[in-house]
Amino acid sequence: MNFELSDEEKLIQQTARDFADRVLAPRADEFDRAGDIARDILTQMAELGFMGMLAPEAYGGSGLNNFCLSLVQMEINRACASTGVTMSVHNSLMQSPLIAFGTEAQKRRYLPKLTRAEWIGAYSLSEPGSGSDAGALAATASREGDAYVLNGTKNFVTNGGTADLFIVFARTHPDRELKTKGISAILVERTTPGLRVGKHESKLGIRGSTTVELSFQDCRVPAENVLGEENQGFKIAMHTLDGGRIGIASQAVGLTQACLDASIKYAKERRQFDRPLGEFQAIQWKLANLATDLQAARWLTLSAARLRDQGQPHTMEASMAKLFAADMVNRHASEAVQIHGGVGYVREFRVERYFRDAKITEIYEGTSEIQRMVIARHLLK
Ligand code: CAA
């Protein structure tokens, strides 16, 4: 596979790189401390087309593809992983299924607001009793006339603090034995009576992105808000996560690039035993391993994105990219702290944030154990 970028792709990548360096990086520590991303950042990203990358131009989007989305996410995450995941959920977990499965009316109603970042999107699958076993979810959406009535509790909803629109997965079939075959995807606006945004989680990393609990109590949603066919929501959830996992792999690549950049700079500046650190073989080998794994992860990620754009099977490849990249960033963020020594452990040096931000890539959008399960099932089927 050839990753020679076209002129347009180079321009998109360079635009994201400039924005990341000039605007985002100087404010990332502030977002981490405040536990929130300043809204003007998302507006500026929308002006650059980054908040509607997959949406057709007719709905205000950039009309681009997953490959370009991945290129941009790698740059944004290099500067700020909290902004990176906000963008990822907004594009891949909210807009991608809306574009693929939404009715014309749903697209017209929601996409223009989302692409302009007037509204932020969130994806709500996990529950206190069903994380990795997503098909065991218990929230219900019972049909009553021209509405669905939602009841239940969701948790770990990324973007939930600020989201205006949620894609919620709930049981629409009364027979729970149907498991994955009785679930639907429903679009729920934040202001719908009966929807309550609950506890905000205090997290180890990606602290600028909000993660909340949601509860639904007799929450009536118009029946026309079902996304795709009734009881087909689990497949929508999985198809959506195939794209989201490429986004998280891109996040891990961006974070690892940040670790490499910081470590090279420090290895050149810091002197011990009358030499820069970079003259010690112990440090050189860490940098060489880091850069080699980074290249491999970048290619795995971009090749999965290409497959998705070509409409080819990519479930296994998306899981491979996420598994490899998440493992890589955790090993190398730890090494980046090690290269920095004592200063790597304190807030003033950014590798401390990269180290904290890295961990989540092994957990959300399917843990590394789940990615291995997906890969192995494909190998053995
Ligand atoms: N695309 C389309 N359809 C798919 C699919 C895919 N990638 N994967 C599975 N399906 C279909 C299957 O073909 C099957 O269809 P049939 O019933 O017609 O045969 C159906 O879905 C059920 O599939 P499985 O039998 O494989 O389902 P399972 O119960 O064994 O679960 C799983 C599979 C892969 C373990 C799944 O539960 C899973 O991915 N778990 C992890 C959940 C997860 O990633 N959660 C993330 C939460 S969201 C988040 O993290 C966002 C955030 O904060 C940023």
Side-chain angles (χ1 to χ4, degrees):
M1 172 131 354
N2 182 6
F3 290 127
E4 180 113 359
L5 301 188
S6 68
D7 287 346
E8 188 192 20
E9 287 161 351
K10 279 186 200 153
L11 180 66
I12 292 163
Q13 185 186 49
Q14 193 55 50
T15 305
R17 192 166 288 170
D18 289 346
F19 176 79
D21 288 338
R22 197 173 38 79
V23 181
L24 201 48
R27 296 176 68 184
D29 289 328
E30 166 201 328
F31 300 159
D32 181 58
R33 277 192 298 273
D36 210 359
I37 301 163
R39 191 63 185 237
D40 71 278
I41 286 288
L42 303 181
T43 308
Q44 289 185 60
M45 285 171 63
E47 282 161 8
L48 293 171
F50 298 161
M51 296 301 273
M53 292 205 62
L54 303 174
E57 289 174 16
Y59 304 101
S62 306
L64 291 167
N65 55 24
N66 289 280
F67 187 86
C68 291
L69 177 58
S70 177
L71 288 176
V72 170
Q73 284 176 309
M74 287 172 185
E75 298 304 324
I76 296 297
N77 281 286
R78 193 172 52 76
C80 177
S82 294
T83 305
V85 69
T86 304
M87 175 194 175
S88 187
V89 168
H90 188 72
N91 278 283
S92 297
L93 298 193
M94 167 51 78
Q95 291 179 57
S96 169
L98 186 51
I99 295 159
F101 302 100
T103 62
E104 187 56 27
Q106 288 169 343
K107 291 182 201 176
R108 292 222 168 276
R109 182 170 170 87
Y110 296 123
L111 280 174
K113 289 190 181 87
L114 291 165
T115 56
R116 289 196 295 264
E118 280 170 28
W119 278 25
I120 297 299
Y123 175 96
S124 180
L125 178 67
S126 302
E127 298 182 3
S130 59
S132 290
D133 186 5
L137 65 84
T140 54
S142 317
R143 184 75 189 246
E144 283 186 18
D146 59 358
Y148 285 97
V149 181
L150 273 91
N151 281 287
T153 305
K154 295 283 181 183
N155 67 354
F156 298 133
V157 184
T158 305
N159 286 3
T162 46
D164 305 278
L165 186 65
F166 299 87
I167 172 168
V168 177
F169 296 89
R171 291 200 168 278
T172 34
H173 199 288
D175 183 359
R176 286 201 58 176
E177 291 303 306
L178 283 176
K179 297 199 169 151
T180 58
K181 292 185 172 64
I183 293 169
S184 298
I186 303 178
L187 298 165
V188 185
E189 297 181 14
R190 188 187 190 89
T191 51
T192 314
L195 163 58
R196 199 177 74 83
V197 177
K199 186 173 83 165
H200 285 232
E201 304 294 349
S202 176
K203 307 191 296 290
L204 171 72
I206 55 160
R207 291 180 62 83
S209 101
T210 61
T211 306
V212 304
E213 200 173 77
L214 293 183
S215 66
F216 297 92
Q217 200 171 16
D218 296 330
C219 175
R220 286 182 79 85
V221 179
E224 68 206 27
N225 279 27
V226 164
L227 192 60
E229 282 177 47
E230 193 185 59
N231 297 325
Q232 293 297 310
F234 190 77
K235 288 182 185 173
I236 295 177
M238 292 297 114
H239 178 77
T240 300
L241 282 171
D242 287 345
R245 288 169 183 168
I246 298 169
I248 302 309
S250 310
Q251 174 173 57
V253 167
L255 264 170
T256 310
Q257 181 71 55
C259 290
L260 179 63
D261 295 346
S263 298
I264 290 173
K265 184 166 182 287
Y266 193 72
K268 286 180 174 173
E269 286 168 6
R270 173 75 170 166
R271 295 180 71 86
Q272 289 291 278
F273 304 101
D274 302 321
R275 283 184 283 172
L277 288 190
E279 285 188 16
F280 290 93
Q281 193 180 50
I283 303 297
Q284 291 172 358
W285 285 23
K286 286 188 201 300
L287 294 176
N289 289 341
L290 201 166
T292 306
D293 281 346
L294 177 58
Q295 181 77 318
R298 193 185 302 278
W299 283 33
L300 270 181
T301 305
L302 289 174
S303 71
R306 267 287 196 252
L307 288 176
R308 188 166 170 91
D309 288 335
Q310 290 165 349
Q312 297 202 44
H314 58 281
T315 299
M316 180 173 76
E317 290 77 4
S319 285
M320 284 175 164
K322 181 178 183 289
L323 173 64
F324 186 86
D327 172 70
M328 168 194 70
V329 71
N330 277 280
R331 279 186 290 113
H332 292 308
S334 174
E335 289 288 53
V337 171
Q338 195 67 20
I339 290 170
H340 283 73
V343 299
Y345 201 68
V346 297
R347 288 277 149 103
E348 282 94 301
F349 275 73
R350 289 189 173 151
V351 289
E352 183 267 350
R353 170 161 57 82
Y354 304 154
F355 179 77
R356 284 186 290 108
D357 285 350
K359 185 60 198 172
I360 191 62
T361 63
E362 290 184 310
I363 298 173
Y364 59 16
E365 302 208 26
T367 61
S368 291
E369 290 73 15
I370 288 294
Q371 307 311 328
R372 287 188 175 89
M373 186 195 271
V374 171
I375 295 163
R377 280 186 183 180
H378 273 74
L379 295 174
L380 295 167
K381 84 177 171 199

